[in-house]
């Protein structure tokens, strides 16, 4: 029977297969070059997508490969978005439980977190984590909505900190000096100012305050004077918890212990 009746010879089939294999090897190599040469995901995706489209015009099987890759990429993106959304919702649930917040308050929390996530480098989840730290410290949702979270945001930016960490540092200061009536804005400004004006950081200021704040507040040293003293210590090479311990020891030594000392302190005012 004539092999030309809708058929090809074995030799022609082998030659065709050889050409296809060569084309596949060439195009896969070009894809690798695109992937290595481009510096970001968007550029890599566009390069690969364009190359895959060209390959598809030459070899039908390559279209299937490109389609599988695109489908996998889309599935990964969707999965990541779903995970982020679930993490955020879980964080909101934690805030609701800790603060015992009602529906209206949670709506305000959700709105503020999303606004911070859209306007800053911090995500909505990170904003919610910051609010949780403030709520734990006893800051009301009203104060959080009216600027406390933004104060923590400013401190985080100045100190190159995570938003939740900055909120925790600020909250610790507010609690330690609550009888003084320190506001969140004052705490953030004094911490950032002391760190910027001396050879220390916001984190090291926090380590120092964790050692000395209780004693300082007890003896009547203000938050401003405490942070200023720690900044002076830092300028002289004593930082972090070491500075806080030294200041605490100094304040302890200055505190009157005997009856005669107490009476003399009263005379001095």
């Amino acid at each position: 029977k004539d092999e030309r009746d809708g058929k090809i010879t074995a030799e022609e089939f082998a030659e065709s297969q050889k050409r296809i294999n060569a084309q596949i090897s060439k195009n896969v190599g070009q894809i690798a070059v695109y992937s290595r040469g481009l510096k970001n995901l968007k550029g890599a995706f566009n390069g690969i997508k364009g190359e895959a489209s060209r390959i598809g015009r030459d070899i039908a099987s390559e279209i299937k490969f490109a389609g599988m890759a695109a489908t996998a990429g889309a599935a990964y993106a969707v999965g990541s978005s779903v995970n982020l959304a679930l993490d955020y919702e879980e964080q909101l649930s934690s805030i609701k439980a800790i603060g015992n917040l009602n529906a209206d308050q949670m709506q305000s929390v959700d709105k503020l977190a999303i606004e911070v996530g859209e306007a800053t480098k911090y995500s909505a989840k990170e904003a919610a984590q910051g609010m949780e730290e403030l709520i734990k410290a006893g800051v009301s949702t009203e104060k959080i909505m009216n600027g406390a979270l933004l104060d923590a945001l400013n401190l985080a930016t100045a100190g190159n900190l995570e938003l939740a960490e900055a909120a925790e540092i600020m909250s610790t200061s507010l609690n330690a000096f609550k009888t003084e009536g320190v506001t969140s804005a004052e705490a953030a400004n004094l911490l950032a100012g002391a760190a910027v004006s001396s050879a220390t950081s916001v984190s090291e200021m926090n380590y120092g305050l964790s050692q000395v704040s209780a004693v300082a507040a007890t003896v009547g040293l203000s938050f401003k004077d405490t942070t200023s003293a720690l900044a002076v210590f830092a300028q002289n090479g004593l930082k972090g918890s070491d500075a806080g311990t030294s200041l605490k020891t100094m304040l302890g030594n200055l505190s009157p212990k005997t009856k005669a000392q107490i009476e003399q302190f009263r005379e001095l005012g």
Side-chain angles (χ1 to χ4, degrees), residues 198-201 204-205 208 227-250:
S198 63
T200 187
S201 66
E204 288 177 328
M205 288 292 295
T227 54
S228 297
L230 291 174
V232 171
F233 278 32
Q235 286 289 72
N236 289 275
L238 201 58
K239 304 177 184 180
S241 58
D242 289 340
T245 301
S246 297
L247 182 57
K248 178 175 67 174
T249 302
M250 184 186 76

Side-chain angles (χ1 to χ4, degrees), residues 162-174:
E162 295 295 330
L163 184 50
E165 182 183 2
E168 182 182 3
I169 291 172
M170 193 175 73
S171 300
T172 301
S173 302
L174 293 175

Side-chain angles (χ1 to χ4, degrees), residues 35-170:
S35 297
R36 290 192 300 267
L38 296 173
K39 295 181 179 179
N40 55 63
L41 181 60
K42 182 178 178 180
F45 176 77
N46 289 337
I48 293 172
K49 184 175 68 173
E51 187 63 14
S53 297
R54 194 185 68 78
I55 293 170
R57 291 192 296 268
D58 297 329
I59 305 172
S61 62
E62 285 297 294
I63 294 179
K64 296 180 182 179
F65 172 79
M68 291 172 62
T71 300
Y76 176 79
V78 171
S80 298
S81 298
V82 169
N83 287 335
L84 288 174
L86 291 174
D87 288 344
Y88 176 62
E89 290 300 324
E90 183 179 354
Q91 184 60 52
L92 290 182
S93 298
S94 178
I95 290 175
K96 182 178 181 180
I98 291 171
N100 193 26
L101 306 184
N102 59 39
D104 289 339
Q105 290 172 319
M106 285 305 302
Q107 186 175 6
S108 297
V109 166
D110 182 28
K111 181 180 178 182
L112 181 59
I114 291 175
E115 288 175 352
V116 171
E118 291 176 345
T120 72
K121 68 177 183 178
Y122 300 102
S123 68
K125 180 186 175 182
E126 288 173 318
Q129 289 172 331
M131 283 189 271
E132 179 177 329
E133 293 300 327
L134 293 173
I135 291 172
K136 286 179 181 178
V139 181
S140 67
T141 53
E142 183 180 359
K143 289 183 178 180
I144 292 173
M145 298 301 117
N146 291 332
L149 180 64
L150 295 182
D151 294 331
L153 176 62
N154 291 334
L155 181 61
T157 302
N160 194 26
L161 305 168
E162 295 295 330
L163 184 50
E165 182 183 2
E168 182 182 3
I169 291 172
M170 193 175 73

Side-chain angles (χ1 to χ4, degrees), residues 4-18:
R4 292 293 177 180
D5 186 15
K7 299 181 181 180
I8 62 173
T9 65
E11 290 78 7
E12 288 174 331
F13 177 79
E15 183 62 28
S16 176
Q17 190 69 28
K18 182 178 179 181

